[in-house]
Amino acid sequence: MPSQRRVTRLAPSPTGGLHLGNARTFLVNWALARQRGWQIAMRIDDLDSPRVRAGADREALDDLAWLGLDWDTEVDYQTRRLADYEAALVRLAADGSIYPCRCTRSQIAARIASAPNAGDHELRYPGSCRPVERQAFDFSELKNSGWAWRLRVSDRAVEFVDQIFGPQSVSVFDEVGDFLVATKQGCASYQLAVNLDDDFSGVTDIVRGNDLLTSTARQILIREALGMNNKITYWHLPLVAGEDGMRLAKRHGATRLSELREAGVPAERIIGLLAHWSGLSTATPRTAQQFATDFDISHLPHERVTLTSQHLEILRPSGW
Ligand code: GLU
């Protein structure tokens, strides 16, 4: 029997322009896929409607194509699958895997103010609305009543192996407790939707920034609750940060691909810098194709990459 074809996905969020850190993650994802013959699905993660910016989907696709990346499917949009998300929520509510919750953030904060982890930026849900026993709910009936929905999280640790960071054991129960799977408007959360999206495209390999490493355990719990197989291989890549240790933002200079492109910086020079950040010895300009030929995942540095002014100088030598 032929073995199952491996599938990965590129999943930009259309909330702002792609920056050099996003570009590094997408380039490595793409190169791994092209080296290993994986299919690449393209998906726009446009569920987070307050943050979605009109036209940012097109911009992200153009930026990636300009860098020399390509993909093997039509572009998929999360917002085309709202009915599937709802069907999953109906199912999870009916079997008692999720429950409605009306707590506000400030109520949760007040309830745990004296708890040991108070002060961590992510609040652990103290379980105020959690039914003592699993209980069936009718999602369709309650979805417009202003209730958010939480997954009933078990207290056992979730174990998985990350291809970059090795074996992981995460207690979602201790870290965040019962987390949100749908908003008060009845819309699926990112944590829920992404599993249905990946399943829909037959994704076998998820390559993404390690800011999402903590989400993986939550997503595994949702996959289990939905009865999905968990044959996904995870590759979490170290992030790129500014010299102040913070995620890339405007204050770090022109790091958006669209800005660099408009300023006339050639894509090959950007790939050269991304290659240098990915374990290749020099920042020599090269095409994405050449990167895919030379890149070796075993040489990818495991530390966070720091963008310095010297790096920006590589992109725009002699005064820009
Ligand atoms: N759309 C997310 C991002 O741009 C990626 C989601 C995922 O990889 O699961 O960070």
Side-chain angles (χ1 to χ4, degrees), residues 132-145:
V132 179
E133 301 286 340
R134 273 173 96 97
Q135 184 184 327
F137 291 96
D138 187 335
F139 180 83
S140 309
E141 197 182 288
L142 293 172
K143 73 172 180 192
N144 295 320
S145 321

PDB file of all heavy atoms in Angstrom, residues 132-145:
ATOM      1  N   VAL A 132     -19.929  19.875  37.806  1.00  0.00           N
ATOM      2  CA  VAL A 132     -19.213  18.878  38.613  1.00  0.00           C
ATOM      3  C   VAL A 132     -19.013  17.593  37.804  1.00  0.00           C
ATOM      4  O   VAL A 132     -17.939  17.010  37.772  1.00  0.00           O
ATOM      5  CB  VAL A 132     -20.004  18.584  39.910  1.00  0.00           C
ATOM      6  CG1 VAL A 132     -19.284  17.542  40.754  1.00  0.00           C
ATOM      7  CG2 VAL A 132     -20.203  19.877  40.690  1.00  0.00           C
ATOM      8  N   GLU A 133     -20.084  17.164  37.139  1.00  0.00           N
ATOM      9  CA  GLU A 133     -19.994  15.974  36.265  1.00  0.00           C
ATOM     10  C   GLU A 133     -20.089  16.441  34.820  1.00  0.00           C
ATOM     11  O   GLU A 133     -20.677  17.482  34.551  1.00  0.00           O
ATOM     12  CB  GLU A 133     -21.202  15.048  36.507  1.00  0.00           C
ATOM     13  CG  GLU A 133     -21.361  14.551  37.919  1.00  0.00           C
ATOM     14  CD  GLU A 133     -20.345  13.485  38.263  1.00  0.00           C
ATOM     15  OE1 GLU A 133     -19.786  12.888  37.317  1.00  0.00           O
ATOM     16  OE2 GLU A 133     -20.100  13.268  39.449  1.00  0.00           O
ATOM     17  N   ARG A 134     -19.572  15.645  33.903  1.00  0.00           N
ATOM     18  CA  ARG A 134     -19.792  15.951  32.475  1.00  0.00           C
ATOM     19  C   ARG A 134     -21.283  16.085  32.235  1.00  0.00           C
ATOM     20  O   ARG A 134     -22.064  15.282  32.728  1.00  0.00           O
ATOM     21  CB  ARG A 134     -19.271  14.798  31.606  1.00  0.00           C
ATOM     22  CG  ARG A 134     -17.828  14.890  31.260  1.00  0.00           C
ATOM     23  CD  ARG A 134     -17.426  13.624  30.552  1.00  0.00           C
ATOM     24  NE  ARG A 134     -17.476  13.790  29.101  1.00  0.00           N
ATOM     25  CZ  ARG A 134     -16.399  14.081  28.376  1.00  0.00           C
ATOM     26  NH1 ARG A 134     -15.229  14.248  28.939  1.00  0.00           N
ATOM     27  NH2 ARG A 134     -16.494  14.210  27.071  1.00  0.00           N
ATOM     28  N   GLN A 135     -21.640  17.069  31.448  1.00  0.00           N
ATOM     29  CA  GLN A 135     -23.072  17.329  31.253  1.00  0.00           C
ATOM     30  C   GLN A 135     -23.299  17.724  29.793  1.00  0.00           C
ATOM     31  O   GLN A 135     -22.509  18.504  29.249  1.00  0.00           O
ATOM     32  CB  GLN A 135     -23.442  18.485  32.186  1.00  0.00           C
ATOM     33  CG  GLN A 135     -24.896  18.838  32.198  1.00  0.00           C
ATOM     34  CD  GLN A 135     -25.134  20.071  33.076  1.00  0.00           C
ATOM     35  OE1 GLN A 135     -24.445  20.294  34.077  1.00  0.00           O
ATOM     36  NE2 GLN A 135     -26.104  20.873  32.703  1.00  0.00           N
ATOM     37  N   ALA A 136     -24.344  17.200  29.201  1.00  0.00           N
ATOM     38  CA  ALA A 136     -24.634  17.535  27.795  1.00  0.00           C
ATOM     39  C   ALA A 136     -25.290  18.911  27.699  1.00  0.00           C
ATOM     40  O   ALA A 136     -26.131  19.262  28.531  1.00  0.00           O
ATOM     41  CB  ALA A 136     -25.565  16.473  27.215  1.00  0.00           C
ATOM     42  N   PHE A 137     -24.885  19.703  26.685  1.00  0.00           N
ATOM     43  CA  PHE A 137     -25.512  21.006  26.437  1.00  0.00           C
ATOM     44  C   PHE A 137     -25.930  21.073  24.979  1.00  0.00           C
ATOM     45  O   PHE A 137     -25.350  20.391  24.121  1.00  0.00           O
ATOM     46  CB  PHE A 137     -24.521  22.145  26.715  1.00  0.00           C
ATOM     47  CG  PHE A 137     -24.188  22.303  28.170  1.00  0.00           C
ATOM     48  CD1 PHE A 137     -23.045  21.713  28.701  1.00  0.00           C
ATOM     49  CD2 PHE A 137     -25.019  23.027  29.007  1.00  0.00           C
ATOM     50  CE1 PHE A 137     -22.737  21.850  30.046  1.00  0.00           C
ATOM     51  CE2 PHE A 137     -24.716  23.175  30.355  1.00  0.00           C
ATOM     52  CZ  PHE A 137     -23.574  22.587  30.870  1.00  0.00           C
ATOM     53  N   ASP A 138     -26.895  21.937  24.716  1.00  0.00           N
ATOM     54  CA  ASP A 138     -27.335  22.149  23.329  1.00  0.00           C
ATOM     55  C   ASP A 138     -26.688  23.430  22.825  1.00  0.00           C
ATOM     56  O   ASP A 138     -27.157  24.529  23.131  1.00  0.00           O
ATOM     57  CB  ASP A 138     -28.868  22.240  23.306  1.00  0.00           C
ATOM     58  CG  ASP A 138     -29.407  22.300  21.878  1.00  0.00           C
ATOM     59  OD1 ASP A 138     -28.648  22.736  20.977  1.00  0.00           O
ATOM     60  OD2 ASP A 138     -30.565  21.925  21.677  1.00  0.00           O
ATOM     61  N   PHE A 139     -25.623  23.278  22.067  1.00  0.00           N
ATOM     62  CA  PHE A 139     -24.877  24.461  21.618  1.00  0.00           C
ATOM     63  C   PHE A 139     -25.756  25.376  20.778  1.00  0.00           C
ATOM     64  O   PHE A 139     -25.754  26.589  20.957  1.00  0.00           O
ATOM     65  CB  PHE A 139     -23.632  24.030  20.823  1.00  0.00           C
ATOM     66  CG  PHE A 139     -22.812  25.197  20.331  1.00  0.00           C
ATOM     67  CD1 PHE A 139     -21.888  25.802  21.170  1.00  0.00           C
ATOM     68  CD2 PHE A 139     -22.983  25.704  19.048  1.00  0.00           C
ATOM     69  CE1 PHE A 139     -21.145  26.906  20.737  1.00  0.00           C
ATOM     70  CE2 PHE A 139     -22.249  26.807  18.612  1.00  0.00           C
ATOM     71  CZ  PHE A 139     -21.332  27.393  19.461  1.00  0.00           C
ATOM     72  N   SER A 140     -26.530  24.784  19.862  1.00  0.00           N
ATOM     73  CA  SER A 140     -27.335  25.614  18.941  1.00  0.00           C
ATOM     74  C   SER A 140     -28.324  26.475  19.717  1.00  0.00           C
ATOM     75  O   SER A 140     -28.562  27.627  19.373  1.00  0.00           O
ATOM     76  CB  SER A 140     -28.116  24.735  17.969  1.00  0.00           C
ATOM     77  OG  SER A 140     -27.248  23.834  17.378  1.00  0.00           O
ATOM     78  N   GLU A 141     -28.866  25.922  20.784  1.00  0.00           N
ATOM     79  CA  GLU A 141     -29.852  26.665  21.550  1.00  0.00           C
ATOM     80  C   GLU A 141     -29.205  27.797  22.364  1.00  0.00           C
ATOM     81  O   GLU A 141     -29.764  28.875  22.502  1.00  0.00           O
ATOM     82  CB  GLU A 141     -30.543  25.689  22.497  1.00  0.00           C
ATOM     83  CG  GLU A 141     -31.839  26.189  23.069  1.00  0.00           C
ATOM     84  CD  GLU A 141     -32.387  25.143  24.032  1.00  0.00           C
ATOM     85  OE1 GLU A 141     -32.847  24.092  23.545  1.00  0.00           O
ATOM     86  OE2 GLU A 141     -32.309  25.363  25.255  1.00  0.00           O
ATOM     87  N   LEU A 142     -28.002  27.529  22.853  1.00  0.00           N
ATOM     88  CA  LEU A 142     -27.372  28.499  23.766  1.00  0.00           C
ATOM     89  C   LEU A 142     -26.438  29.486  23.071  1.00  0.00           C
ATOM     90  O   LEU A 142     -25.976  30.439  23.687  1.00  0.00           O
ATOM     91  CB  LEU A 142     -26.568  27.747  24.832  1.00  0.00           C
ATOM     92  CG  LEU A 142     -27.380  26.921  25.821  1.00  0.00           C
ATOM     93  CD1 LEU A 142     -26.445  26.086  26.687  1.00  0.00           C
ATOM     94  CD2 LEU A 142     -28.218  27.848  26.699  1.00  0.00           C
ATOM     95  N   LYS A 143     -26.149  29.241  21.776  1.00  0.00           N
ATOM     96  CA  LYS A 143     -25.032  29.993  21.178  1.00  0.00           C
ATOM     97  C   LYS A 143     -25.267  31.492  21.111  1.00  0.00           C
ATOM     98  O   LYS A 143     -24.308  32.253  21.056  1.00  0.00           O
ATOM     99  CB  LYS A 143     -24.670  29.431  19.805  1.00  0.00           C
ATOM    100  CG  LYS A 143     -25.662  29.758  18.739  1.00  0.00           C
ATOM    101  CD  LYS A 143     -25.149  29.346  17.379  1.00  0.00           C
ATOM    102  CE  LYS A 143     -26.202  29.713  16.376  1.00  0.00           C
ATOM    103  NZ  LYS A 143     -26.087  29.213  15.081  1.00  0.00           N
ATOM    104  N   ASN A 144     -26.511  31.945  21.118  1.00  0.00           N
ATOM    105  CA  ASN A 144     -26.752  33.386  21.054  1.00  0.00           C
ATOM    106  C   ASN A 144     -27.081  33.989  22.416  1.00  0.00           C
ATOM    107  O   ASN A 144     -27.591  35.098  22.501  1.00  0.00           O
ATOM    108  CB  ASN A 144     -27.881  33.702  20.064  1.00  0.00           C
ATOM    109  CG  ASN A 144     -27.486  33.324  18.650  1.00  0.00           C
ATOM    110  OD1 ASN A 144     -26.339  33.533  18.247  1.00  0.00           O
ATOM    111  ND2 ASN A 144     -28.407  32.722  17.902  1.00  0.00           N
ATOM    112  N   SER A 145     -26.778  33.252  23.473  1.00  0.00           N
ATOM    113  CA  SER A 145     -27.150  33.749  24.804  1.00  0.00           C
ATOM    114  C   SER A 145     -26.003  34.414  25.538  1.00  0.00           C
ATOM    115  O   SER A 145     -26.067  34.625  26.746  1.00  0.00           O
ATOM    116  CB  SER A 145     -27.677  32.608  25.668  1.00  0.00           C
ATOM    117  OG  SER A 145     -28.453  31.735  24.929  1.00  0.00           O
TER     118      SER A 145
END
